[in-house]
Amino acid sequence: MTPLPPAGELATLLAHGVGSRHDLPVSPFYAFAGAFAALLVSFLGLGLLWSRSRLTGEAAGRPLPAAVQRCADARATTLALRALGLAAYLTLLAHLLLGPDDPARNPAPAAVYALFWAGLVPLSLLCGPLWRRLNPLRTLHLLGRALLRRPEPDRAPPARPGLWPAALGLAAFTWLELASPVPASRAALLTFLGAYTVLQLAAAARWGEAWFARGDAFEAYAGLLARLSPFGRRADGRLVVRNPLDGLDATERVPGLAATLCVLLGSTAYDGFSGTAGWTGTLQTSPLGRTPTATLGLLAVIGVTGAVYALCTAATRVRGAGAAFAHSLVPVALGYLVAHYFTLFTTEAPHAVALVLGAGPGPVPEPPLQPGALAALQVCAVVTGHVLGVVAAHDRAVRLQPPERAVSGQIPLLVLMITYTLGGLGLLVA
């Protein structure tokens, strides 16, 4: 067990998923060479062996037993999940309002960044879109409507913004996590939580519960990750076990999908970049001050991530390529999230639960993996995510492009994946 770090250091740890990446015992040469080889071999193998689209999206999947379906869809299950989500939200709010302004003694910061933000990754992968039923904002909306005796609005959310509200919400949260001056303070978290809740409930009051699927940043985030779960629903509503790539293929093409994923990718990349010695020095010496400089750095990395994606997809010469291939970024984002937040989730989340249950401040558990194993996990997560992205993009390309261009037309997408891979690994092992 390691001793508990001082409050200031703990706040910094909570704002960054892994801490320093530069002491990981992995040779950069072997990491880069292995990643490049994996992507190139995957691309060539798919070009030779995968000549037609094999993914069937929402039509795929083997139905689960009827008893499982009845239990999952039962009203009692829905009510229990809503009550659980609301209880967790109110507990967090109570700790933010009444607890000490010390991350070592108040579980709220670790609950937000480790248990919730990082924890949505395993929850969504293992259980599918379960957060939709746990979401306390949906429950508050339904309770408010019942208390005020108001019917659900009959107007649907406007289709044109798509996931852009979710992209902006994710950008705001990642700014709080990575660029704000006091990301783990009670005041900062209360301000964000209060403003976010009011905005979401106001939008739902106007457009109904359907707003949350696209307008709630965290539900959209969890829903995209859940596309890679082996459990999902077919178009006919049946619960099924499926190839995760079929679930990924069913991702709806909506405006803002690529932007949402580029915010996830760019913010995670900035999380790694912010730990480098050069950027730390820049933050300390910038005449603009730390927070404005960090904000500009975060926006710049997100912007570069989006620009690279836009350039590479435009080079495919497929109409609407930006939306058509955006789903291939979901496994890429997942790989980065696993690499960057595994340690945070496995150490700080149990510590937060212990504090909620009444345990006093104590040592934070050591990571479950030794540095060598952790480095291997991080590199494998990043490379596997990009390989799955190549597979998803290839299947979509052979569906959209004529056979004579099905392989050559994907070269820009391969360049995109190689660029993202080398950049991500560089932040981990350089």
Side-chain angles (χ1 to χ4, degrees), residues 250-340:
T251 304
E252 187 180 4
R253 300 188 209 178
V254 294
L257 174 61
T260 301
L261 290 163
C262 286
V263 168
L264 279 175
L265 289 171
S267 61
T268 310
Y270 177 79
D271 185 16
F273 177 67
S274 65
T276 62
W279 185 247
T280 301
T282 299
L283 292 177
Q284 293 172 346
T285 59
S286 172
L288 296 176
R290 181 197 176 279
T291 299
T293 304
T295 302
L296 291 175
L298 175 61
L299 292 176
V301 176
I302 292 174
V304 169
T305 303
V308 171
Y309 176 77
L311 288 172
C312 290
T313 52
T316 63
R317 292 186 293 173
V318 173
R319 185 177 181 181
F325 293 106
H327 71 301
S328 66
L329 297 182
V330 175
V332 178
L334 174 61
Y336 284 138
L337 289 166
V338 171
H340 283 259

Side-chain angles (χ1 to χ4, degrees), residues 362-396:
V364 177
E366 291 184 350
L369 299 179
Q370 295 300 313
L374 175 61
L377 171 68
Q378 292 176 315
V379 172
C380 288
V382 170
V383 175
T384 301
H386 285 84
V387 169
L388 291 176
V390 168
V391 175
H394 175 84
D395 187 86
R396 183 65 55 85

